[in-house]
Each structure stands twice: as structure tokens, then as C-alpha cells.
Amino acid sequence: MSFTSARRAGLTAAALLTLTTSAALAQTTETGAAHNPAAKPDSSATGAKVPFDGMDLTWINGQNRQTTFPLVLKDQNGETVLTGTALLDGYFNYNFARPVDHTQTISAVTGRTNEFSLALASAGIESNYKNIIGRLWVQTGSMLHVIQETDGSVLRGRNAGTGNLKFIREAAAGYHFNKAYGLNVELGIFMSYIGLESYVMQENWSYQRSLVCDFTPFYFQGARVQFYPSRKFKTELWLMNGWQTYNSFNRQPAIGNSNYFRPSENLQLVANFYYGNDSRPGTDSLAVGRAGYPDVIRFHHDNSIVARYYHKPKMGPLRGITQAAFSLNTHYGFQSGEGVKAAHNYMVGSSLANRVWFNQNKMAFTARAGFVKNPSRYLSFSPSVVGFTDPDASKLTAKELTGTFDYMPSDFVTFRVEYLHRSANVPYFAGPGGTTSPSGYADQPLPAGYTPDLRKTEDRAILSVNFRL
């Protein structure tokens, strides 16, 4: 499952505010923070080779839309030492089914329904001072229960719990080398590079993430190398413990690759790849491979196109409309081995969104449609942790339609209203009876034959407010 902190590849606030110094030529460490058009560097004057130089990327789906960063600490020479960020995100999620247990299922952001919730509160600092890369973000909020607590790798041995790590959103250390347009080497906990939409809702065009992004990773623990061979291209190589795991299930690490190409500020092309062994060894020796881990492999690929096809900052012929763009994010992956073939154990899906800004970019409306097919359900969320025995759910295909209206009076706050309709070919979404117990309370003994109340459709309305400084 979609941590990119900004979750996707852009330039950090610290890097952007120090681009005119030789130490910050390409220190792009926080994946997903957007380029700051208010601080466009004069690279010709400094001789700096700056990736994506002069590009305004704040409109891109999955990118930070901030243009100013007020929490900056500088040294006596005016060079940025630290950049700080604080954010809060709260919502009221109204599920028209009104589940008795107030549990929202099939979502990594809205874990509760028909009540006010704090999804995420986070604060962090990052530095690119004199080529040294350092970053620490801490977090809390209801999303942590949905995302990190599904990490089964913590059961391998001791000293592997998520009790403390889940409060770290991102923590990494590394070094920037002045090679080509930048070379960064880092180790730590990172936001995921897979998918388009961000872990931070302010960066996305919709509040509820698409199904294909919700079913893919939000974080990795490992190491990465970022290389910018040219001003318009970035590639990354990753070595990780596993698919959204703090620890490793076995002896084989996962590997990954991410590629971003921006021929202009109006177009972004992305291709991401993942290959790993994310299965737990079985108790039967026949289920264990020669190296002591199961012969099961997982491959995942996603690609995206984000294009701005209309841009008139001072309002053009379409009265009131300042810009318009679309994004298309497509996924394909499979898991195979131990007698299971990829043809029966795969995930495929796509999400198409179109966004229109108006009123000098202070308002926007996004329409989105998507689907996901995951026959064996090796990636999709389980609709209930108890009493879920429906064999037909292994043939899952789900679809979604979303409409989102944003009011953004400043860089630092977003008010959002969203309506979401989802459907599936099998009962998959929570109904009025909920998915916990007949009374809705988790401490009630379950009567014999209890089954969760699942329906084929879901309709929700979401009100949210987020603050980011």
C-alpha cells in the first residue's frame, strides 16, 4: 500500500530554498514535495545544474501544492540549514449505509464513519546543508491503525515490533554527490515510490485514494540511489526489506526501480517496478526453497501520465478557468510460485482523473473513475477480520466514481467536499450491520454463525480540512 510524502518524486523545500548555492544543486530527497515556482533559481548565473529547473510542478496529482515555505532556519551566510513542516488533516466521513460499528472498510485513509476523525498529524525537519541529507518526520493519527498494523513481518523473531516505528513517517540519512544533475545515496524509512497518489491527502486531487493506490505500499525500509542524468529525467534504484514491511519475511531483499521524465512542466511520465519475495516460509519443508525462503515471487509495475492541457493564469477564453489537467495511473502485478500461477494470482487496475482549477486557482473540481481486479485478493483489503468466509470474494472486481470540490484560500489550508460511489461484483463493502459484531462492539462474544454485513455497493460523502505549513 500509496507512503510518498510527499509520496512521489519532486524537489524538497530545503533543496528549493538553497538552489542558488553549490551545496544544493540537486538535493532532491523528499519524494513528492513540489518545485517552488516562487523561488526559481537562476542556474545560469551560478553554474548550478538543477533538475527540473524552472518548472512549476504544484499542479501535479500527488505533489505538494505549496509555493512558500515559512519554517526555514538559515546560517549566518544566508544558506538554509533546516526546513520544517507541520500538517494536520481531519475529516467527517458519512457512509450512507451507516454501519453500526462506525467502521469504514476498504480504505487506508478513512478508518471511521459517521464521526469526526483526525486522519494525520505530522511534523518534520529536513536538511540538505553542505551536501549532507537528513530527514525526520513524526506522525500520529487514525491512518496508522489501518496501514502499519497490517505488517506481518513483525512476527519474525523478536525486536521487530512496529510500536515505535509506526510513529515515524520518514527518517533517512545520506549524501549528495555533485554528479551530472545530482546523485543522492540514502538509507532509512521512506515514502513508497509505487503509485501516483500520495500518503498526504493535501497533495492528491481526491481525498479517498483510488483503489489501485490504496492496495499498494505506503512505506519502505531500506536504501535508495537517486540519479539525475539530465535536467528532465530522474531514475532511482531501491533495495528494501519487503512490500510495506519494516522487517523482512525471509532472507531475500526486494529490489525496485522508479523513473520520472518531465519533458516540460506540463507533462510528467512515470514508470515504477518492484520485485520481491514477500511470503512467509511454511512449516512444511516442501514449501521452502533452496535458500530457506518460499519460492514465491511478487512483481508489480505501475505507470502514469499527468498532463496539463490548459493553462491561462490570468484567465483565458474559458472564463474563470485558469488551468486543467488529467492523470492516468495504471497498475499490473502478480504473485506466483509454489504451484500458484500468475494467471490466477494477479492484480490489474487503473484510475483516470480530470481536474479543473478556477477563481485564480483557489477552487478546483476533480472527477475520477477507476477499477481494480484482484482475483486471488493477495493485495486487496479484507472487508472484515472476523467471520469472513465468502468464497466468491476471491473473484473480486471493484469500480469507483468520485467527485471532489476543493476550496484553497491559501497555500496552507484546503477545504474539501467529496462524493464517492463504489461497487463490486461480490459483497465487499460494509452494510448497516457492520463488520465487527451484532452490536458493533469488539468485546462482544460472537454468536455461532455470525457473518459480517457486506454489500455490493457503497456511497459516501466526505468533508475534510487540512492545514500544512
Side-chain angles (χ1 to χ4, degrees), residues 174-408:
Y175 193 79
H176 166 78
F177 296 90
N178 298 323
K179 302 295 183 181
Y181 278 77
L183 174 66
N184 301 325
V185 179
E186 300 175 82
L187 184 147
I189 297 174
F190 302 96
M191 308 299 171
S192 167
Y193 63 91
I194 295 176
L196 175 67
E197 293 176 315
S198 173
Y199 178 77
V200 178
M201 281 64 68
Q202 176 259 13
E203 299 175 357
N204 299 329
W205 291 354
S206 301
Y207 191 80
Q208 172 61 58
R209 299 183 197 91
S210 64
L211 289 165
V212 288
C213 279
D214 248 6
F215 292 170
T216 53
F218 287 108
Y219 64 88
F220 292 116
Q221 182 157 257
R224 71 180 181 188
V225 176
Q226 300 175 311
F227 181 53
Y228 300 80
S230 72
R231 185 177 71 89
K232 299 179 179 181
F233 181 67
K234 168 188 175 180
T235 187
E236 298 181 349
L237 294 177
W238 289 71
L239 190 65
M240 302 153 284
N241 287 339
W243 181 272
Q244 190 166 291
T245 62
Y246 288 116
N247 310 109
S248 176
F249 276 108
N250 44 63
R251 299 178 184 177
Q252 178 174 307
I255 58 176
N257 171 241
S258 177
N259 303 277
Y260 276 72
F261 178 52
R262 292 173 176 137
S264 74
E265 72 174 29
N266 293 319
L267 180 63
Q268 173 179 279
L269 305 174
V270 182
N272 299 315
F273 302 89
Y274 175 93
Y275 180 90
N277 186 323
D278 296 284
S279 295
R280 177 174 171 173
T283 56
D284 187 343
S285 61
L286 295 178
V288 180
R290 290 188 302 273
Y293 47 82
D295 288 323
V296 176
I297 62 169
R298 176 177 294 176
F299 171 82
H300 196 90
H301 163 65
D302 82 271
N303 58 78
S304 63
I305 301 172
V306 190
R308 183 168 59 180
Y309 57 87
Y310 181 86
H311 186 212
K312 297 292 183 181
K314 296 182 179 180
M315 294 187 297
L318 300 178
R319 185 173 179 81
I321 297 178
T322 50
Q323 56 184 352
F326 76 87
S327 68
L328 177 63
N329 183 218
T330 301
H331 291 241
Y332 171 73
F334 63 83
Q335 199 165 273
S336 66
E338 295 183 5
V340 178
K341 297 182 179 180
H344 305 103
N345 200 32
Y346 66 90
M347 181 266 218
V348 63
S350 189
S351 176
L352 175 64
N354 189 79
R355 184 172 175 89
V356 177
W357 291 258
F358 47 97
N359 191 24
Q360 298 179 339
N361 291 338
K362 294 184 182 298
M363 296 181 181
F365 179 78
T366 302
R368 185 185 68 190
F371 82 96
V372 64
K373 186 173 184 179
N374 190 200
S376 64
R377 294 189 60 253
Y378 75 95
L379 283 187
S380 58
F381 292 134
S382 175
S384 176
V385 296
V386 295
F388 180 64
T389 58
D390 186 352
D392 290 333
S394 64
K395 304 172 184 178
L396 175 67
T397 298
K399 302 176 183 178
E400 62 188 347
L401 291 171
T402 306
T404 307
F405 175 78
D406 288 344
Y407 175 55
M408 303 164 285

